[in-house]
Amino acid sequence: GAVSRPCASRELCAILDRVMKLPLLALLLTGASSMAVAECLEHSGLQKSKDGKVTEAYEDLRDCENDPAASAAALYTLAYLHNTENYAGLTASELALKTWDLLEKAALTGDEDAVVTLASMYGVGDAELGFEPEPDVQDCLLSTTEDPKARNGKGPISRAAIMQCLTKEPARP
């Protein structure tokens, strides 16, 4: 199997480890509508990740980063692979920023797990980036998961509600 490398930051690693323990089937179902995109080989990438073929999973999922139809599952997994394997050879700061950005994109899909993960990240901040905890943003994001208006009933959390929370964020370095 692949040898895992240390995460970009301890806090981010702990959050990502919790995220990756979510049932993959639920994550696959979340992204079922976006799996037809040719560039983003989402279905095979997620399956390869589940099977422990992390290098092959990364190859299949790397184009999902720029695919607006990519599911939260694909973006979660890509963030995890970047953070633990660092295929792109990024510096620790670049790696932390890339992982953070991928998880923000995952949250903006409206997926509740992604929003909760992002809220957790805002709760702890990121020392590598000099990003202090932002409890107001964390609380706002968490409140969207319980607000029926933000969910349009029982559907995904609205992008507008998530964006409203993120505007509370001070500019990152």
Side-chain angles (χ1 to χ4, degrees):
V3 177
S4 293
R5 294 179 184 87
C7 295
S9 72
R10 189 172 317 145
E11 296 89 359
L12 188 55
C13 186
I15 291 168
L16 286 171
D17 282 344
R18 279 185 261 149
V19 168
M20 293 310 292
K21 290 178 183 174
L22 295 171
L24 189 57
L25 180 58
L27 292 175
L28 288 171
L29 292 174
T30 300
S33 64
S34 63
M35 291 190 190
V37 177
E39 256 186 290
C40 173
L41 302 175
E42 189 167 313
H43 180 72
S44 64
L46 291 172
Q47 185 60 49
K48 288 173 184 172
S49 176
K50 181 181 175 185
D51 294 343
K53 300 175 182 174
V54 294
T55 302
E56 293 173 27
Y58 173 79
E59 291 298 321
D60 285 356
L61 295 173
R62 70 178 172 194
D63 290 328
C64 297
E65 178 178 357
N66 298 313
D67 186 338
S71 73
L75 296 167
Y76 273 152
T77 304
L78 188 56
Y80 179 80
L81 293 170
H82 268 294
N83 197 52
T84 58
E85 303 296 329
N86 194 8
Y87 291 104
L90 304 172
T91 66
S93 293
E94 292 169 333
L95 186 58
L97 189 58
K98 166 82 69 187
T99 303
W100 190 278
D101 287 342
L102 284 165
L103 290 172
E104 274 188 357
K105 286 180 181 182
L108 288 168
T109 68
D111 180 77
E112 183 172 347
D113 292 328
V115 172
V116 170
T117 300
L118 188 60
S120 296
M121 291 174 62
Y122 275 101
V124 297
D126 192 313
E128 186 66 42
L129 294 175
F131 188 52
E132 296 295 320
E134 292 292 332
D136 291 343
V137 176
Q138 178 186 29
D139 292 345
C140 182
L141 287 168
L142 290 174
S143 73
T144 65
T145 66
E146 298 171 5
D147 181 0
K149 292 178 187 172
R151 297 189 75 108
N152 299 323
K154 293 186 177 190
I157 300 165
S158 79
R159 184 178 180 93
I162 296 165
M163 290 300 294
Q164 183 177 8
C165 294
L166 295 178
T167 60
K168 297 175 183 285
E169 168 197 9
R172 281 189 278 157

